[in-house]
Amino acid sequence: MREAASTLLGVIGAFLFPSDHRGSLGVRCGSVRERKGASRTGLGIQTRPEVSEMPLPQKKRWESMAKGLVLGALFTSFLLLLYSYAVPPLHTGLASTTPEGAAPCSPALSEPEALTPANGSAGGCQPRRDIVFMKTHKTASSTLLNILFRFGQKHGLKFAFPNGRNDFDYPAFFARSLVQDYRPGACFNIICNHMRFHYDEVRGLVPPNATFITVLRDPARLFESSFHYFGSVVPFTWKLSGRDKLAKFLQDPDRYYDPHGYNAHYLHNLLFFDLGYDSDLDPGSPQVQEHILEVERRFHLVLLQEYFDESLVLLKDLLCWELEDVLYFKLNARRASAVPRLSGELYRRATAWNVLDARLYRHFNASFWRKVEAFGRERMAREVAALRRANERMRRICIDGGHAVDAAAIQDSAMQPWQPLGTKSILGYNLKKSIGRRHAQLCRRMLTPEIQYLMDLGVNLWVTKLWKLIRDFLQW
């Protein structure tokens, strides 16, 4: 594929810059005409001047239009070739993605075992450092990702990062071979980038006592956010008419939805899909409940986006971390004008359309509050208040102006978040210019968006960078 892309680039280059070849050809042709004209004059034959078929300006205009059409076709072909290399096909069925016999994670004997009580209040607990975060879409997962990046960087932990992109070839299922610099038997401390979950493949990369976590969100709100963010890259939405395409879609989802359409998974039971299950499963199938119980067995904690602070308190307790480890600023958030709230009827329709996610969310909403009860309501209130005070203190120390700003107002490109196609609705921050040495590094890390943080951590993002260059050039 790379050879084909190189050849196509060569053709584009020759088409764009043909002047040298065209000039030399013109000289040779002109010489022939001159010689022919001279010989005919010598013979006494009167020659007639050549007449163009159309006026020169009009001819040039048609040549320019033809060149534009050919160049556009060549460029589009190149993008398709690049995309076919960079983006994997969507696999709806779960299959073995690593060759049989691939060695599972083999922790070094010198690595300390973190077999500690789940409750951080127990005396002598040790911070847990082996963590799998199943990063779901549009659930405040970028904020949690930043927390894990900072913790791993602070303690010199080994991340399992993707190679070339900021995700593990999503929406294909995760495979160990997708990890940058993977070798059979390699062991990692933290896995946290977007993937379509494949438990056995992930399990083989981390020690046996690794902690598995994920985060869920009210499915109707998640659907609205996903529709806004990904809708422009889901072709079946292009035929929706009217200003409010979301409302139009929810009037009759089955009319517009194509389960086999490109990127269709973003707009139907996205949580179920991210967790590795069939998002178009019949709601009446017993597999739905089986999958939900399987998630419960595999994950030690399922956080809720709507109760993010309470979730972080439970996470801090589970991992035996310090308060500083879970401080955060809200990342990848949309500006208020870009967040239309679903009305009662649209909310009901969105919930019904994402019924598998709704059942998943109800189950873990109930289990979440059982964990809060076990933790203690009063204790939870105290720790949430302490977390919010610490976050507010960091806001005053780190953020210029004290709040998030539109993309156009962000002064440092290193703080510019990734934007959805066709709009710049994601907010970012400006770092204060005068921050004391004690907090300067922490402030910058807390405010750094995902793509830039991955580059700071040494991740190879050539596909993501190339796509950004193309988007910037085309002003998408």
Side-chain angles (χ1 to χ4, degrees):
M1 181 273 159
R2 282 176 174 158
E3 290 76 6
S6 300
T7 302
L8 192 53
L9 277 176
V11 173
I12 293 173
F15 190 76
L16 280 172
F17 309 105
S19 56
D20 291 342
H21 303 287
R22 190 172 62 240
S24 59
L25 181 60
V27 169
R28 290 195 294 271
C29 292
S31 300
V32 172
R33 291 192 190 100
E34 288 171 6
R35 286 196 296 272
K36 287 182 178 179
S39 59
R40 289 178 179 178
T41 303
L43 292 171
I45 301 173
Q46 189 173 359
T47 60
R48 295 175 61 188
E50 294 183 7
V51 179
S52 300
E53 294 180 3
M54 62 179 71
L56 189 58
Q58 186 178 358
K59 185 176 182 180
K60 285 185 176 180
R61 187 162 58 250
W62 280 102
E63 286 179 351
S64 177
M65 290 174 63
K67 180 182 287 189
L69 288 171
V70 174
L71 179 59
L74 289 171
F75 186 64
T76 302
S77 300
F78 170 70
L79 290 181
L80 290 173
L81 279 170
L82 175 66
Y83 193 81
S84 66
Y85 171 77
V87 179
L90 172 61
H91 303 294
T92 55
L94 183 60
S96 176
T97 48
T98 294
E100 291 186 14
C105 163
S106 303
L109 294 177
S110 59
E111 292 182 5
E113 288 292 319
L115 296 174
T116 61
N119 192 331
S121 63
C125 78
Q126 304 255 335
R128 297 195 181 205
R129 300 185 175 190
D130 301 316
I131 302 158
V132 173
F133 171 42
M134 174 52 229
K135 188 177 188 292
T136 48
H137 286 85
K138 315 313 299 174
T139 56
S141 60
S142 294
T143 302
L144 189 51
L145 190 73
N146 182 274
I147 290 172
L148 294 172
F149 282 168
R150 288 177 1 233
F151 184 85
Q153 194 173 22
K154 176 181 176 181
H155 295 281
L157 303 182
K158 187 177 181 181
F159 287 91
F161 283 131
N163 188 21
R165 300 164 39 154
N166 61 312
D167 60 55
F168 291 105
D169 280 11
Y170 184 90
F173 280 103
F174 176 80
R176 278 173 264 179
S177 57
L178 297 172
V179 174
Q180 182 174 295
D181 301 324
Y182 170 74
R183 296 290 182 274
C187 237
F188 298 88
N189 300 112
I190 299 177
I191 307 175
C192 53
N193 289 82
H194 275 307
M195 68 171 76
R196 190 173 186 201
F197 193 57
H198 187 322
Y199 178 77
D200 293 335
E201 288 291 306
V202 173
R203 177 77 271 177
L205 286 173
V206 292
N209 60 328
T211 303
F212 282 64
I213 62 173
T214 191
V215 57
L216 305 182
R217 182 182 183 183
D218 180 314
R221 305 298 181 197
L222 184 149
F223 172 79
E224 185 278 325
S225 180
S226 185
F227 194 98
H228 167 84
Y229 195 90
F230 298 113
S232 60
V233 294
V234 183
F236 67 71
T237 66
W238 301 347
K239 58 188 175 184
L240 293 168
S241 60
R243 294 184 60 185
D244 193 346
K245 291 191 173 186
L246 184 145
K248 184 75 172 179
F249 176 83
L250 287 176
Q251 286 177 8
D252 189 3
D254 291 313
R255 175 184 173 186
Y256 302 105
Y257 178 71
D258 176 7
H260 305 294
Y262 177 66
N263 281 338
H265 59 279
Y266 284 122
L267 301 184
H268 195 212
N269 294 309
L270 182 55
L271 293 172
F272 236 63
F273 184 89
D274 284 353
L275 288 165
Y277 303 117
D278 181 2
S279 56
D280 294 314
L281 194 63
D282 181 352
S285 169
Q287 286 184 288
V288 176
Q289 186 63 17
E290 291 170 10
H291 293 332
I292 292 172
L293 295 177
E294 187 172 65
V295 172
E296 187 170 52
R297 290 193 300 271
R298 289 174 171 174
F299 287 85
H300 298 84
L301 178 64
V302 175
L303 295 78
L304 299 181
Q305 185 261 3
E306 291 80 6
Y307 303 99
F308 197 67
D309 289 345
E310 290 85 351
S311 294
L312 289 182
V313 169
L314 291 179
L315 180 67
K316 179 176 76 74
D317 185 64
L318 173 68
L319 300 177
C320 194
W321 285 6
E322 301 295 329
L323 178 62
E324 181 180 299
D325 296 326
V326 295
L327 298 181
Y328 72 93
F329 296 127
K330 190 175 182 180
L331 300 179
N332 215 34
R334 285 182 291 162
R335 63 174 180 266
S337 60
V339 189
R341 301 300 293 176
L342 291 173
S343 67
E345 177 60 20
L346 286 181
Y347 178 90
R348 185 192 66 77
R349 288 176 179 270
T351 301
W353 172 242
N354 296 279
V355 63
L356 305 184
D357 282 359
R359 288 180 58 179
L360 179 76
Y361 183 81
R362 281 196 295 268
H363 179 94
F364 285 101
N365 188 18
S367 67
F368 179 86
W369 292 108
R370 287 196 295 270
K371 290 179 184 293
V372 170
E373 290 292 342
F375 184 84
R377 291 269 184 172
E378 292 184 5
R379 181 185 169 202
M380 174 61 73
R382 288 195 304 270
E383 297 216 16
V384 165
L387 173 60
R388 290 174 178 170
R389 284 194 301 270
N391 281 336
E392 174 61 22
R393 177 171 174 268
M394 292 305 298
R395 183 189 66 80
R396 293 195 301 268
I397 292 171
C398 302
I399 300 175
D400 188 22
H403 56 80
V405 296
D406 283 335
I410 298 172
Q411 300 164 7
D412 184 352
S413 61
M415 296 293 163
Q416 189 70 246
W418 189 268
Q419 299 288 346
L421 279 176
T423 181
K424 290 192 174 182
S425 58
I426 303 301
L427 302 174
Y429 298 92
N430 286 314
L431 188 67
K432 272 190 176 179
K433 294 178 175 58
S434 56
I435 302 175
R437 292 180 60 185
R438 178 183 174 189
H439 296 104
Q441 185 183 74
L442 177 59
C443 285
R444 176 162 286 277
R445 289 179 177 178
M446 288 180 70
L447 292 173
T448 300
E450 175 183 344
I451 301 298
Q452 291 90 323
Y453 211 140
L454 285 168
M455 290 190 286
D456 289 346
L457 293 171
V459 182
N460 174 17
L461 294 177
W462 75 268
V463 174
T464 302
K465 290 179 181 178
L466 180 58
W467 179 232
K468 183 180 186 304
L469 286 173
I470 294 170
R471 286 185 57 177
D472 290 345
F473 176 74
L474 298 176
Q475 296 183 345
W476 283 353

